Amino acid sequence: MKHLLSIESLNAAEILEIIDLAKRLKATRGMEASKPLAGECWGLLFSKSSTRTRVSFEVGIRELGGDALFLSSSEIQLGRGEPIEDTARVLGRMIHGAVIRTFKQSDIETFARLSGIPTINALTDEEHPCQILADLLTIEELRGSLDGLKVAFIGDADCNMGRSWIWAAARLGFELRLACPELYRPPAELIARAKAAGGTVTITENPEEAAHGADILYTDVWVSMGKEEEAEYRAAQFARYQINERVVAAAAPKAHVLHCLPAYRGKEITAEVFERHAGAIFQQAENRLHAQKAVMTLLKS
């Protein structure tokens, strides 16, 4: 593995290797003898705001022996129109790895191709692979296994999280149910590709139908970064697509509720459901650190 650009670009063995290593790194945190990033400086190029992603990567890089250099787009020439191609060729001569959080998936792919250094997708409009890897780690911890998994994703199924879940299901062969309004379905071409790759993906406009017997109920914000001008319209479209007591009651008896955060209580999830499942949700947030340390370790191996 030279880069982590998407879940689509990984195979099942690579995903499971990341999860297995993340578990070992989590269990031995603070006792690591190996420092795979020793003597290295990794750049964090962020065009989108962040809490969990920035903190988990900065801490993870330091725990692996490296230094982290945060580069907001407003502070470098990229924010003033310098092409990503030139930024990649400059930084590739100075830093040892790049973590990029931006809008266009093509920008990350171009950076990886031209920079010559390990590149990690820390979120684009297309995918959020680091979050999904942390989610899968969390689910394995909660259930003991990913075998026979049934996940219900409720909300905007065409966002980066919905798309990443589609590819996780395709690669690992579990069942994914998407509950979303008609306007927020993933493209038919994407679903067809995922199904051809082995995914079991169904789409419904009924949240309770998606939740029926599910092991995991998952949601994300209704208004993704960059979509703020659509907030009022989206709130009306997604009003039915909330994880609440009715939806939880439709799931399997020991179902877990996950949220990639930040959470807006009373919108995509009720305050009561969120607080009852807060232990799993914040375990999920912590696991960003361990999953990303595993990715960076494997990129240097």
Side-chain angles (χ1 to χ4, degrees):
M1 188 169 70
K2 295 181 178 179
H3 311 285
L4 174 62
L5 303 181
S6 65
I7 296 298
E8 181 181 4
S9 66
L10 299 177
N11 59 43
E14 288 170 326
I15 293 172
L16 295 175
E17 182 181 23
I18 292 167
I19 294 170
D20 183 62
L21 178 55
K23 288 191 291 186
R24 298 202 306 271
L25 291 172
K26 184 175 182 177
T28 60
R29 186 183 182 192
M31 301 179 285
E32 304 96 329
S34 174
K35 299 290 184 182
L37 304 189
E40 296 193 353
C41 181
W42 280 53
L44 278 64
L45 284 73
F46 281 33
S47 299
K48 291 188 174 186
S49 59
S50 166
T51 298
R52 283 151 294 279
T53 301
R54 177 176 177 177
V55 173
S56 57
F57 267 111
E58 289 200 19
V59 171
I61 289 167
R62 292 187 174 103
E63 290 189 357
L64 293 176
D67 286 321
L69 178 64
F70 183 76
L71 300 168
S72 137
S73 62
S74 64
E75 298 171 337
I76 60 176
Q77 295 299 326
L78 187 63
R80 299 180 64 245
E82 184 173 40
I84 190 68
E85 292 85 351
D86 293 355
T87 302
R89 286 179 285 197
V90 169
L91 293 182
R93 295 164 184 260
M94 298 181 182
I95 60 177
H96 301 90
V99 178
I100 304 179
R101 183 177 174 92
T102 191
F103 294 89
K104 294 168 61 178
Q105 179 74 19
S106 60
D107 282 350
I108 288 184
E109 293 170 356
T110 297
F111 187 99
R113 177 170 52 85
L114 293 178
S115 68
I117 58 176
T119 303
I120 297 174
N121 177 354
L123 179 144
T124 66
D125 289 345
E126 290 291 319
E127 273 210 42
H128 197 353
C130 293
Q131 181 65 59
I132 287 291
L133 293 168
D135 296 340
L136 293 170
L137 169 60
T138 306
I139 292 168
E140 186 167 293
E141 290 175 335
L142 294 171
R143 294 181 74 243
S145 170
L146 298 174
D147 295 341
L149 179 64
K150 298 180 179 68
V151 176
F153 181 96
I154 297 170
D156 181 359
D158 196 29
C159 72
N160 50 22
M161 289 306 305
R163 288 171 176 245
S164 295
W165 271 114
I166 288 168
W167 283 111
R171 295 297 179 240
L172 297 182
F174 59 80
E175 182 179 350
L176 175 66
R177 304 155 181 179
L178 304 170
C180 61
E182 178 71 27
L183 289 174
Y184 296 93
R185 288 185 172 219
E189 176 270 336
L190 171 61
I191 298 297
R193 283 195 295 124
K195 287 184 176 180
T200 302
V201 181
T202 58
I203 307 176
T204 177
E205 294 182 37
N206 186 324
E208 290 84 2
E209 180 182 341
H212 181 71
D215 304 298
I216 302 293
L217 300 177
Y218 198 104
T219 192
D220 192 5
V221 297
W222 291 342
V223 183
S224 298
M225 285 179 285
K227 306 289 185 181
E228 289 81 5
E229 72 282 358
E230 303 174 13
E232 186 175 345
Y233 179 78
R234 282 174 169 260
Q237 294 296 309
F238 289 111
R240 290 182 54 236
Y241 297 88
Q242 179 189 71
I243 295 186
N244 52 34
E245 298 293 352
R246 186 176 65 256
V247 171
V248 172
K254 295 183 179 181
H256 300 281
V257 175
L258 297 179
H259 193 307
C260 55
L261 301 177
Y264 295 90
R265 296 159 177 80
K267 293 188 177 180
E268 73 274 3
I269 189 169
T270 64
E272 294 78 12
V273 171
F274 183 92
E275 291 302 330
R276 192 161 68 249
H277 293 270
I281 291 169
F282 289 104
Q283 179 178 337
Q284 176 190 5
E286 177 197 342
N287 280 340
R288 290 291 302 278
L289 170 65
H290 309 301
Q292 289 158 191
K293 285 174 66 178
V295 168
M296 290 185 286
T297 298
L298 291 169
L299 287 177
K300 299 304 296 184
S301 63

